[in-house]
Amino acid sequence: MDEYVLKNGKKLRRGLTTGTCAAAAASAAAWDLLTGGERKEVTLRLPDGQNVSLPVRKLPCAFGTEYAVTKDSGDDPDVTNGTEIRARAEFRQDNPENGFREEEYPGVQLLGGEGVGTVTKKGLEQKVGMPAINRIPRRMILSAVWEALQNSDREEEICITVSVPDGEALARRTFNPMLGVEGGISILGTTGIIEPMSEKAIVDTIALQIRQKKEEGQPLLVLVPGNYGRRYATRELGLPVSAVVLCSNYVGESLDLAVASGFERILLVGNLGKLIKVAAGIMNTHSRISDARWEIMAAHAGLHGADAPMLRQIRECATTDAMLELLTEWELRDKVMEGLLRSIGQHMEKRTGDDVLCGAVVFSEQYGCLGQTPEAGEILGWQKEQRRGQEW
């Protein structure tokens, strides 16, 4: 595989997923169990057809054989970088309820061991109660072991148990507790390769959370860019924590995913510093992608009478709160916020279509609530009625 990739003009090193590491360890353990030959390196074929070679290390094992791979995430800031992914191979005839089997790979079963999470909520690829080993890594592991079995003269069934010794501690630094995966990390990977600073991984996590909310029967989806938004939505607006999904900077993708999942009521709650960009139709609010805060504020201030010297003062502001301070002094804040909220609502409606009721609530850490779109008022009123009905 190509070891490096260019991102924003920088040469960054690719890494390997937990799924690839688990498959390599499982392959080595199976070959050793079947042939008695210790392995130092394993070559795997990745889902896209590329080959990759990984060093493997044999571990002491009371029964069967066990190998480990140290995960290398390349230049991606992955919390699992450097952790040990293990796989134990043993001959086993029983059929545990929490084991994976596939007709394509007869004679092989897969279990999750220490540090591999267990699914506790619907909406993931696995059923509740099963190990959090995603479909493509499962197939990589089962395929590698089945290949070893086919190339031996043994007929016994092989059971592979994947484990991550520090997985439970690592999982606390991931989205797993929020997603309903308890007790460890997930064994992941769609291509087998980690692209450094992958935006796709973030959006995939958001998509998974949105699907889960729908499967749980949530009638309302609340999107928040970060923890400030989550706190404001639950504490100040009284919205249920169970309806909230962190969308980070990916407002547009999150709205698309919410519509695709069938949500008919969507509320976006966030700080003005993020959501002012949506007023200009900017749906990725990362400062690296766009930072037009003063330009957008100045445009709306100009529509309400701000002259050139005033706009130059807005330009000099480092934060939207500083801009609001000027607008308050000039008695323009309410008018400008009304215009910004109108534009935010229009761009959200354009993104989601006419069949979805979507609104926005905008706040500031310094000034508190700055306003809401009419649709947001309708959604909040509906939510209040729902809550009152449940209390009755």
Side-chain angles (χ1 to χ4, degrees):
M1 83 174 181
D2 294 332
E3 191 174 350
Y4 292 91
V5 62
L6 284 175
K7 289 274 188 177
N8 302 317
K10 295 181 180 179
K11 189 178 181 181
L12 300 176
R13 194 165 57 86
R14 287 184 165 105
L16 295 170
T17 64
T18 48
T20 299
C21 295
S27 176
W31 279 101
D32 194 337
L33 180 71
L34 291 164
T35 67
E38 183 175 343
R39 306 298 293 271
K40 300 292 186 181
E41 186 178 79
V42 167
T43 298
L44 289 176
R45 183 173 293 276
L46 299 176
D48 65 357
Q50 296 185 73
N51 289 327
V52 61
S53 295
L54 289 79
V56 295
R57 186 174 70 260
K58 187 172 184 177
L59 302 173
C61 188
F63 55 93
T65 56
E66 188 168 26
Y67 277 73
V69 172
T70 300
K71 185 173 183 290
D72 180 358
S73 300
D75 288 325
D76 189 72
D78 187 339
V79 299
T80 61
N81 184 48
T83 197
E84 193 173 77
I85 311 296
R86 297 179 176 182
R88 186 181 72 240
E90 59 182 307
F91 295 119
R92 184 166 171 174
Q93 296 294 329
D94 61 341
N95 191 16
E97 291 184 0
N98 62 340
F100 293 108
R101 288 180 177 272
E102 291 195 16
E103 291 183 4
E104 191 174 345
Y105 308 111
V108 184
Q109 62 175 311
L110 173 62
L111 301 175
E114 175 192 5
V116 174
T118 299
V119 175
T120 63
K121 290 183 180 180
K122 294 180 179 179
L124 296 173
E125 288 188 359
Q126 311 83 4
K127 296 179 181 178
V128 171
M130 297 296 284
I133 305 174
N134 276 13
R135 178 177 57 84
I136 292 177
R138 287 201 306 267
R139 293 182 65 85
M140 289 178 66
I141 296 167
L142 293 171
S143 173
V145 175
W146 185 77
E147 181 181 349
L149 189 60
Q150 291 300 107
N151 283 279
S152 76
D153 56 1
R154 304 294 293 265
E155 296 183 356
E156 297 97 326
E157 289 198 353
I158 292 182
C159 177
I160 299 293
T161 302
V162 174
S163 62
V164 184
D166 54 353
E168 186 169 4
L170 288 172
R172 301 189 192 104
R173 298 162 57 193
T174 72
F175 284 101
N176 273 13
M178 188 184 307
L179 297 174
V181 177
E182 302 290 344
I185 65 168
S186 300
I187 305 300
L188 303 171
T190 53
T191 64
I193 300 170
I194 296 175
E195 294 289 343
M197 296 183 292
S198 171
E199 293 184 356
K200 182 179 182 302
I202 300 173
V203 175
D204 285 349
T205 300
I206 296 168
L208 178 56
Q209 292 180 76
I210 290 174
R211 288 198 303 270
Q212 283 188 320
K213 300 300 181 189
K214 189 63 179 176
E215 290 214 10
E216 289 168 2
Q218 290 292 340
L220 167 66
L221 181 67
V222 181
L223 297 173
V224 298
N227 289 323
Y228 285 148
R230 190 216 304 264
R231 186 164 62 244
Y232 191 87
T234 55
R235 295 182 183 178
E236 303 298 327
L237 301 179
L239 294 166
V241 176
S242 57
V244 176
V245 167
L246 268 69
C247 65
S248 186
N249 295 296
Y250 304 96
V251 175
E253 287 93 336
S254 298
L255 291 172
D256 295 343
L257 291 163
V259 173
S261 295
F263 279 99
E264 297 178 355
R265 295 180 182 86
I266 306 167
L267 191 63
L268 177 64
V269 180
N271 188 290
L272 179 62
K274 287 285 187 185
L275 299 197
I276 190 173
K277 300 178 185 182
V278 180
I282 297 169
M283 293 292 177
N284 185 327
T285 61
H286 198 293
S287 58
R288 178 170 54 82
I289 303 296
S290 61
D291 190 8
R293 292 170 299 167
W294 85 262
E295 292 92 339
I296 300 167
M297 189 73 86
H300 282 265
L303 289 172
H304 293 287
D307 59 20
M310 296 163 78
L311 300 183
R312 279 193 286 272
Q313 289 187 62
I314 291 175
R315 182 178 184 176
E316 296 304 313
C317 292
T319 66
T320 50
D321 275 349
M323 299 176 201
L324 289 173
E325 188 174 343
L326 291 176
L327 294 174
T328 303
E329 179 185 331
W330 301 331
E331 298 183 353
L332 290 177
R333 195 182 87 188
D334 290 345
K335 291 180 180 179
V336 169
M337 282 307 309
E338 183 180 343
L340 286 170
L341 283 159
R342 186 183 307 114
S343 294
I344 290 170
Q346 289 170 350
H347 283 293
M348 289 179 67
E349 183 179 352
K350 183 177 179 181
R351 188 78 180 220
T352 59
D354 297 333
D355 296 331
V356 176
L357 183 64
C358 63
V361 178
V362 180
F363 67 91
S364 154
E365 288 294 298
Q366 181 175 339
Y367 292 95
C369 185
L370 297 172
Q372 61 190 37
T373 64
E375 296 80 7
E378 186 177 340
I379 291 170
L380 290 170
W382 171 85
Q383 173 65 26
K384 189 177 293 184
E385 289 296 322
Q386 295 293 306
R387 189 170 56 206
R388 185 178 298 131
Q390 290 173 358
E391 290 171 355
W392 289 344

